[in-house]
Amino acid sequence: MVKTAVLVSGGGTNLQAIIDANILGEIKNCELTAVISSNPEAYALTRAQYAKIPTYIVDKNIFPNRDSFTQAIVNKLNDLDIELVVLAGFMYVLTERFTKEFKNRVINIHPALIPAFCGDGYYGIHVHEKVLAFGAKISGATAHFVSEVTDDGPIIMQKSVDVLEDDTPETLQRRIMEQAEWKILPQSISLFCEGRLRVEGRIVHIKEATNESN
Ligand code: GAR
């Protein structure tokens, strides 16, 4: 079983999708070892506690800078022998200290079709505000490995979602979560834990399932 930590900052609907898919057996070979929150008030912590997953708080606000915050997260992941890290609504960009140590072992979910509407300043509801302001007709979600550059790492899975005429940022966000994020994030975690992902440069190859991984 791949020891997996989920990093969160807020509501945790993506965490819930992971918990539910794991209970249903849709994620194979994954142990949800820890949920780590940057925010002591995050509702995601309550979701984890209901699911009996150990929770830890690494409170962003008590650290003087990004380096010391990153170091605290890395220490916690190493203490727990974590093999896979999932960023599920984790709202901070960590330093190279983290991305180098966990290279191709961190999966992020981004609520748009990378390389559109991504990078610094594109997070949470702001992504959907910018999609609507630009007049895009399609958006969606991307599950990708995290690299040194924000939202630039190798893409594992993407799913598109139509933008509707009367969408608000909130309705678009919700539809993208339901139709894309909550599906491709658990699927990507399973592919990783089954050992079916091979990264070559920035291309992610997905191996066919074998009988053992079924
Ligand atoms: C999700 O839409 C996620 O894709 C996004 O924030 C939301 C968190 O919701 N993440 C980012 O924008 C990261 N750049 P959740 O806490 O309910 O999963």
Side-chain angles (χ1 to χ4, degrees):
M1 302 278 259
V2 176
K3 294 183 78 167
T4 301
V6 184
L7 268 58
V8 296
S9 301
T13 64
N14 277 286
L15 170 67
Q16 192 66 56
I18 295 165
I19 291 169
D20 294 347
N22 204 37
I23 289 170
L24 290 171
E26 292 168 5
I27 302 181
K28 303 199 173 65
N29 201 34
C30 175
E31 176 192 292
L32 293 176
T33 307
V35 169
I36 302 173
S37 177
S38 61
N39 165 14
E41 307 294 325
Y43 185 68
L45 289 167
T46 305
R47 296 180 190 272
Q49 282 151 11
Y50 274 128
K52 301 201 167 15
I53 301 168
T55 57
Y56 304 87
I57 295 165
V58 181
D59 185 350
K60 170 77 177 63
N61 292 324
I62 68 169
F63 294 93
N65 52 42
R66 216 152 58 96
D67 281 340
S68 54
F69 177 55
T70 300
Q71 189 62 57
I73 297 264
V74 168
N75 289 347
K76 179 55 72 188
L77 295 170
N78 284 332
D79 286 350
L80 296 167
D81 288 327
I82 296 301
E83 299 165 280
L84 171 66
V85 184
V86 179
L87 307 185
F90 184 72
M91 294 305 180
Y92 299 100
V93 176
L94 299 175
T95 66
E96 281 191 16
R97 171 85 180 77
F98 169 68
T99 47
K100 287 221 165 88
E101 182 151 342
F102 288 88
K103 188 172 163 61
N104 293 338
R105 292 194 293 138
V106 183
I107 297 176
N108 180 48
I109 185 75
H110 181 74
L113 292 174
I114 291 173
F117 303 104
C118 64
D120 293 335
Y122 286 81
Y123 60 92
I125 197 75
H126 304 303
V127 177
H128 310 292
E129 288 166 356
K130 287 170 180 167
V131 167
L132 291 176
F134 200 82
K137 301 298 185 199
I138 292 177
S139 190
T142 304
H144 66 97
F145 284 116
V146 170
S147 68
E148 288 70 49
V149 182
T150 309
D151 296 333
D152 192 57
I155 291 171
I156 303 166
M157 295 184 81
Q158 291 186 298
K159 194 161 191 300
S160 64
V161 172
D162 286 343
V163 178
L164 304 182
E165 186 66 34
D166 57 356
D167 262 331
T168 63
E170 290 75 19
T171 60
L172 181 59
Q173 178 182 51
R174 182 75 192 180
R175 204 164 56 259
I176 288 175
M177 284 174 160
E178 287 175 356
Q179 295 184 8
E181 296 184 43
W182 300 345
K183 293 183 163 57
I184 66 173
L185 183 57
Q187 286 167 0
S188 298
I189 294 168
S190 191
L191 288 170
F192 181 97
C193 294
E194 291 171 72
R196 291 176 55 196
L197 299 179
R198 182 171 61 82
V199 185
E200 198 176 9
R202 59 166 304 114
I203 309 301
V204 179
H205 300 279
I206 301 178
K207 293 186 220 151
E208 290 294 320
T210 60
N211 284 337
E212 298 99 75
S213 57
N214 271 329

